[in-house]
Amino acid sequence: MSYVDEVLEKVRAKNASEPEFLQAVEEVLNSLRPVIDANEEMYRKEALLERLCEPERQFKFRVPWVDDNGQVQVNTGYRVQFNSAIGPYKGGLRLHPSVNTGIIKFLGFEQIFKNSLTGLPIGGGKGGSDFDPKGKSDREVMAFCQSFMTELYRYIGADTDVPAGDIGTGAREIGYLYGQYKRIRGVYEGVLTGKGLSYGGSLARKEATGYGLLYMTKEMLKSNGIDIAGKTACVSGSGNVAIYAIEKAHELGAKVITCSDSTGWVYDPEGIDVALLKEVKEVNRARLTEYAAKRPSAEYHEGRGVWSVKCDIALPCATQNELLIDDAKQLVANGCTAVCEGANMPTTLDATKYLQDNGVYFVPGKAANAGGVATSALEMSQNSERLSWTFEEVDSKLQQIMINIFHNLDEAAKKYGLPGDYVSGANIAGFEKVVDAMLAQGVC
Ligand code: NDP
Ligand code: 2IT
């Protein structure tokens, strides 16, 4: 049996109750086969893949807090420190009722390769809680965040582990978390990224994931002889990543005609009105029904359905496993040219294969959404030198990083005889640096 198959078998047996983690590992290890097979004996002796698939450490803790009725509530907090071979652990905190160990492990595992692809010195980690910020008062969110940080502070620090936002964790939550860390530790340091501009945040971090997704999409299309201007795009989600993806798509001359949230979706043939979407989602924290009510050209539909709309480019920006095989078939039947993932693992394995087999350019999340964490690393640099760069400075570094990532993964795919297979290219390019650092640092 090949070393990859041996390890896949062990990982499946050991993590049987964590389907998202297994999905992420299967995608990565299967696409690393050409690299692993060429070094099989040495990697097996070093137990390299077993080490890669086992988090360095993981924390799970109780988060008690008091709601507005005086009732005590209890949530579970998580932080997985997956791999520190190339830098301090770096990755977001997800606040969503679905959060469990397997979801945090899949996100932390993806983060290892994504962070490596950025070219910046950051290792892989992820955390979060099954707390749902939706419908909670600001005071309740603060009570939760303070309690969460009262446990988490022991494990993090500007040079050890630097969390940030993810689903459900935005500027408000990062502010409350930062305040509590500072209060407990008594130090003013860049322990979190995505901070507000008045207390150490970086310009362009808020926009970075969505903008970066479009810089990647543009570069990938360009290298295949296609101009993004004039193209029609479907976006899913209507949170941080989706909003700034739509904004940049419009700036680049594409037209985004859909967005969604967990209850429904909008079809707006005139193009999504980004200012209105920001007002509905960032200011009012409301549902997309409010967008549709205020926008005569928009149709609102309950449930899911974004991928049924004809488009040239599909940009899934909501959550994992939101683009299924039937969606992939529909996109192909409608003549879709490219799928670039803004979310983490939004496309199932069979849907990814179907898209690739049918000639759709497919850029995986660990490359396409790396602009967020890359700009977080730029925020860390600014915090270390106690300076703030201009928006243009950060944005131009972000553009260059996304362009570099594309060419690195494109080259890696070609080097292993898999031209156009950007999934393999991303995994191989991300893996090479991490494995080099792991081997150099001995058995640890
Ligand atoms: P937000 O919380 O800002 O927005 C999430 C959006 O996705 C909302 O519209 C939400 O709808 C929708 N959504 C979330 N969960 C589900 C679900 N189970 N089913 C349907 N819709 C859902 O998060 P972000 O925009 O920050 O994150 C979106 C994706 O991008 C995630 O996969 C995240 O891991 C990834 N990502 C984020 C980065 C960042 O910098 N923020 C960086 C890289 C990747 P509703 O409000 O109704 O729940
Ligand atoms: O998935 C991700 O890359 C993020 N949620 C951003 C992580 C970060 O540290 O900025």
Side-chain angles (χ1 to χ4, degrees):
M1 197 191 284
S2 77
Y3 179 42
V4 167
D5 288 317
E6 251 171 66
V7 175
L8 277 174
E9 214 165 76
K10 282 191 215 169
V11 173
R12 281 190 207 110
K14 204 169 174 178
N15 305 277
S17 61
E18 298 172 356
E20 292 87 359
F21 176 58
L22 293 180
Q23 183 181 337
V25 170
E26 287 197 17
E27 185 221 88
V28 170
L29 295 198
N30 277 323
S31 68
L32 289 176
R33 279 179 197 275
V35 188
I36 308 290
D37 291 352
N39 299 281
E40 191 168 75
E41 215 173 302
M42 193 258 285
Y43 286 172
R44 186 187 272 121
K45 184 154 183 281
E46 290 285 340
L48 188 89
L49 295 181
E50 287 89 336
R51 284 194 273 155
L52 198 63
C53 296
E54 181 79 29
E56 287 177 21
R57 70 190 67 73
Q58 40 188 331
F59 306 103
K60 186 173 176 187
F61 47 89
R62 179 169 71 204
V63 189
W65 55 280
V66 182
D67 73 15
D68 285 347
N69 297 318
Q71 173 66 48
V72 176
Q73 300 287 342
V74 181
N75 288 102
T76 307
Y78 302 84
R79 186 73 183 166
V80 174
Q81 298 181 333
F82 222 118
N83 191 303
S84 62
I86 64 169
Y89 310 104
K90 184 83 197 84
L93 296 171
R94 177 173 292 190
L95 299 182
H96 192 271
S98 62
V99 163
N100 57 36
T101 302
I103 288 181
I104 298 301
K105 276 173 64 184
F106 117 64
L107 291 162
F109 185 72
E110 289 284 290
Q111 204 82 43
I112 302 170
F113 306 96
K114 181 195 306 193
N115 293 3
S116 169
L117 283 169
T118 66
L120 300 166
I122 39 178
K126 200 82 187 191
S129 173
D130 57 358
F131 174 78
D132 186 359
K134 231 178 278 159
K136 302 289 191 299
S137 68
D138 285 351
R139 196 211 59 80
E140 288 176 320
V141 171
M142 180 170 74
F144 167 82
C145 288
Q146 290 181 339
S147 180
F148 182 83
M149 185 53 86
T150 302
E151 278 302 315
L152 185 70
Y153 87 93
R154 305 162 200 281
Y155 314 121
I156 62 176
D159 292 315
T160 50
D161 184 354
V162 183
D166 193 80
I167 290 177
T169 306
R172 173 182 60 173
E173 290 74 19
I174 293 291
Y176 294 147
L177 291 165
Y178 190 75
Q180 186 71 354
Y181 180 85
K182 179 166 62 77
R183 196 172 175 206
I184 298 175
R185 288 292 279 263
V187 287
Y188 207 102
E189 61 172 10
V191 66
L192 295 168
T193 58
K195 298 186 292 299
L197 299 177
S198 56
Y199 63 96
S202 173
L203 285 160
R205 174 62 188 89
K206 181 177 67 176
E207 294 83 357
T209 312
Y211 279 20
L213 172 65
L214 268 295
Y215 296 146
M216 166 67 69
T217 305
K218 182 184 172 198
E219 187 67 15
M220 183 277 289
L221 290 173
K222 189 175 119 192
S223 96
N224 288 291
I226 301 168
D227 187 352
I228 192 170
K231 298 291 179 288
T232 302
C234 283
V235 164
S236 65
S238 51
N240 174 263
V241 179
I243 288 171
Y244 293 94
I246 298 169
E247 183 167 281
K248 184 53 73 176
H250 288 174
E251 273 178 45
L252 297 177
K255 182 157 85 169
V256 178
I257 52 173
T258 67
C259 65
S260 66
D261 63 20
S262 53
T263 39
W265 59 284
V266 159
Y267 170 57
D268 191 342
E270 289 189 7
I272 297 290
D273 177 339
V274 181
L276 176 59
L277 187 62
K278 284 184 187 175
E279 182 191 309
V280 170
K281 287 293 173 183
E282 292 185 337
V283 181
N284 301 341
R285 298 183 187 277
R287 311 310 299 164
L288 282 175
T289 41
E290 186 175 311
Y291 175 94
K294 290 184 172 165
R295 176 88 171 157
S297 57
E299 282 172 20
Y300 179 79
H301 301 268
E302 285 286 322
R304 53 194 302 286
V306 160
W307 313 125
S308 65
V309 176
K310 182 175 165 55
C311 64
D312 304 306
I313 302 166
L315 303 170
C317 296
T319 193
Q320 66 274 1
N321 294 330
E322 52 152 321
L323 200 166
L324 313 175
I325 182 72
D326 287 343
D327 303 319
K329 288 180 179 167
Q330 184 86 64
L331 287 168
V332 168
N334 285 342
C336 176
T337 306
V339 174
C340 300
E341 296 185 323
N344 285 306
M345 208 170 75
T347 314
T348 57
L349 292 174
D350 55 350
T352 303
K353 183 166 184 327
Y354 187 86
L355 292 167
Q356 289 184 314
D357 287 351
N358 284 278
V360 177
Y361 300 117
F362 181 89
V363 187
K366 61 170 72 72
N369 71 35
V373 75
T375 307
S376 278
L378 301 179
E379 182 172 329
M380 290 166 70
S381 298
Q382 293 169 77
N383 292 165
S384 296
E385 60 176 19
R386 299 193 191 285
L387 290 173
S388 301
W389 306 339
T390 63
F391 188 96
E392 291 68 31
E393 212 172 338
V394 180
D395 187 43
S396 77
K397 287 190 195 329
L398 169 63
Q399 284 188 53
Q400 201 50 58
I401 289 168
M402 299 313 294
I403 290 170
N404 290 346
I405 293 176
F406 174 71
H407 290 289
N408 287 342
L409 67 85
D410 191 37
E411 285 306 311
K414 286 178 182 150
K415 182 172 143 193
Y416 285 91
L418 301 161
D421 179 354
Y422 302 140
V423 173
S424 297
N427 288 328
I428 292 169
F431 173 79
E432 278 179 336
K433 181 175 172 190
V434 174
V435 77
D436 187 66
M438 284 176 73
L439 292 173
Q441 292 170 33
V443 180
C444 58

